[in-house]
Amino acid sequence: VQGNVYSSKHLELASKSRVEGNVFYTLIEMSAGAEVNGGLTHLTEAGAMATLDSATTLDVGSMGVGLTAKVD
């Protein structure tokens, strides 16, 4: 992914995941080999929902991930 990622719940980055940007999360799980080239910022659940409510969101449930995330 190129850009910032916002997660309202559990975010799981698999071993071949690459994020070129900042990750804002409430709960994150990273497998060995996952890469984030940017910052990691923890959000409260309320803060995450406020962030997602104010922006266009992407439902990534169809990708096998149980969360709603926003990608800049």
Side-chain angles (χ1 to χ4, degrees):
V1 172
Q2 288 193 337
N4 295 331
V5 175
Y6 300 81
S7 174
S8 62
K9 297 194 187 284
H10 177 240
L11 175 63
E12 183 176 343
L13 299 177
S15 61
K16 294 185 180 186
S17 299
R18 302 285 180 268
V19 178
E20 296 288 333
N22 299 310
V23 176
F24 300 87
Y25 66 93
T26 54
L27 177 66
I28 189 169
E29 180 179 345
M30 294 178 65
S31 297
E35 193 175 307
V36 174
N37 295 308
L40 295 171
T41 301
H42 180 262
L43 300 173
T44 63
E45 190 168 330
M49 294 309 294
T51 299
L52 289 171
D53 285 344
S54 67
T56 303
T57 60
L58 168 67
D59 182 0
V60 293
S62 62
M63 296 180 221
V65 181
L67 57 89
T68 300
K70 174 190 159 219
V71 178
D72 280 345

